[in-house]
């Protein structure tokens, strides 16, 4: 094990809020984040594909099918250590550990008197966050719990990020060399989707792009593809009426079954 190219960051060194802030400190690891804080992130170990890394939390792989894993959901709150193995090791971790392994271990309670820690942060762009941890040990049993919350609007419009994480761990010493434990981790987040309209005034969808590029006097013919409930919805009717007032013309759906087999049958109004 001593020959492996691995780096271990203990809890005393985990000053970073997110794991994505910690991994770039490891030689050979490059992290790419598509946007600002809280946006989707991926790690590339020694030039390998991001899906070639195996991410383990308390011994449990968290990769999706195909190897992808969202690193922006991993925070350092309640983490005892992060170990990065910068090479493949299929014997120990399986054949999906092609480029490297990121192993995250949850902290465990060690003191008889419960240890409670609370922290809060605030910054620009309406950024706010809080962390709370509690842990201790009683007899052969140790326990630990942590909650982390972060919310920010970021600088770019419509790129707000919100994330909440709940972590728990309970361990029991079953003998001189045996330890049984169970851990729980739940992450709930929401991300905004900054589009070209917000940034550059350019519409994302083809229909809007074409409509904006055309001469205002040009005739626009629209053939909607939607099920009966969508077409009969009051919001759809209001939008259709607005487009018709601006000169747009529609081809159906006026009658018969629409694109969805379970759609309602519409009668022709002509």
């Amino acid at each position: 094990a001593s020959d492996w190219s691995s780096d271990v960051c203990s809890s005393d060194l985990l000053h970073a809020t997110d794991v994505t802030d910690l991994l770039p400190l490891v030689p050979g690891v490059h992290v790419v984040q598509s946007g600002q804080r809280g946006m989707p992130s991926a790690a590339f170990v020694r030039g390998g594909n991001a899906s070639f890394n195996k991410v383990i939390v308390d011994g449990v792989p968290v990769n999706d099918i195909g190897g992808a894993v969202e690193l922006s959901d991993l925070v350092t709150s309640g983490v005892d250590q992060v170990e990065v193995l910068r090479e493949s090791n299929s014997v120990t971790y399986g054949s999906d550990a092609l480029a490297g392994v990121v192993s995250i271990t949850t902290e465990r309670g060690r003191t008889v008197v419960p240890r409670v820690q609370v922290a809060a942060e605030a910054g620009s762009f309406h950024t706010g966050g809080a962390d709370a941890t509690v842990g201790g040990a009683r007899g052969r049993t140790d326990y630990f719990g942590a909650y982390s919350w972060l919310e920010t609007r970021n600088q770019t419009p419509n790129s707000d990020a919100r994330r909440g994480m709940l972590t728990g761990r309970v361990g029991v010493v079953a003998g001189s060399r045996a330890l049984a434990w169970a851990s729980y981790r739940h992450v709930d987040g929401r991300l905004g989707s900054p589009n070209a309209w917000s940034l550059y005034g350019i519409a994302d969808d083809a229909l809007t792009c074409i409509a904006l590029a055309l001469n205002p006097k040009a005739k626009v013919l629209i053939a909607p593809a939607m099920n009966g409930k969508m077409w009969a919805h009051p919001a759809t009717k209001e939008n259709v009426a607005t487009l018709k007032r601006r000169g747009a013309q529609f081809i159906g759906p006026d009658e018969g079954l629409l694109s969805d087999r379970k759609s309602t049958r519409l009668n022709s109004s002509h």
Side-chain angles (χ1 to χ4, degrees), residues 195-205 208-209 212:
N195 52 24
W197 183 266
S198 301
L199 297 177
Y200 311 110
I202 303 175
D204 292 328
D205 60 286
T208 308
C209 283
L212 293 175

Side-chain angles (χ1 to χ4, degrees), residues 15 24 35 39 43 55 69 98-99 117 119 137 148 201 241 247 249 253 255:
H15 300 301
M39 294 293 124
V55 181
V69 60
L98 299 176
Q117 292 181 311
S148 175
Q249 298 180 5
E255 58 184 7

Side-chain angles (χ1 to χ4, degrees), residues 174-192:
S176 59
R177 296 184 179 181
L179 174 64
W181 55 267
S183 65
Y184 172 82
R185 181 178 292 258
H186 176 75
V187 179
D188 181 25
R190 186 195 69 182
L191 295 176

Side-chain angles (χ1 to χ4, degrees), residues 71-267:
L71 296 177
S72 63
D73 293 336
L74 302 177
V75 299
T76 59
S77 177
V79 172
D80 183 45
Q81 70 175 26
V82 177
E83 181 178 4
V84 181
L85 176 66
R86 293 178 284 113
E87 63 181 3
S88 59
N89 192 319
S90 59
V91 176
T92 304
Y93 297 102
S95 59
D96 50 349
L98 299 176
V101 179
V102 178
S103 180
I104 301 174
T105 305
T106 302
E107 191 174 346
R108 57 181 295 189
R110 295 181 173 86
T111 59
V112 177
V113 178
R115 182 183 179 185
V116 180
Q117 292 181 311
V118 179
E121 62 174 317
S124 56
F125 308 119
H126 297 84
T127 301
D131 292 291
T133 62
V134 58
R138 187 178 182 86
R140 292 177 173 266
T141 305
D142 64 84
Y143 57 91
F144 179 82
Y147 178 75
S148 175
W149 167 80
L150 172 69
E151 185 170 358
T152 179
R153 293 186 181 179
N154 285 321
Q155 184 177 9
T156 306
N158 198 30
S159 63
D160 57 299
R162 185 184 65 187
R163 179 187 60 211
M165 186 209 66
L166 179 64
T167 303
R169 183 189 187 278
V170 177
V172 178
V173 179
S176 59
R177 296 184 179 181
L179 174 64
W181 55 267
S183 65
Y184 172 82
R185 181 178 292 258
H186 176 75
V187 179
D188 181 25
R190 186 195 69 182
L191 295 176
S193 179
N195 52 24
W197 183 266
S198 301
L199 297 177
Y200 311 110
I202 303 175
D204 292 328
D205 60 286
L207 178 60
T208 308
C209 283
I210 294 173
L212 293 175
L214 292 175
N215 189 301
K217 297 181 180 180
K219 298 295 183 181
V220 179
L221 187 63
I222 302 175
M226 58 181 65
N227 59 46
K229 292 183 179 180
M230 295 172 60
W231 179 251
H233 195 278
T236 304
K237 292 182 178 180
E238 183 178 350
N239 291 334
V240 169
T242 301
L243 291 171
K244 286 183 176 180
R245 287 196 301 268
R246 296 178 179 177
Q249 298 180 5
F250 285 80
I251 300 179
D254 293 311
E255 58 184 7
L257 292 176
L258 305 184
S259 58
D260 189 352
R261 292 184 178 180
K262 298 181 181 180
S263 301
T264 57
R265 182 179 293 275
L266 300 179
N267 294 323

Side-chain angles (χ1 to χ4, degrees), residues 6-7 9 22-30 84 86:
S6 62
D7 295 83
C9 297
L22 184 69
L23 292 179
L25 302 178
V26 179
V29 179
H30 181 58
V84 181
R86 293 178 284 113

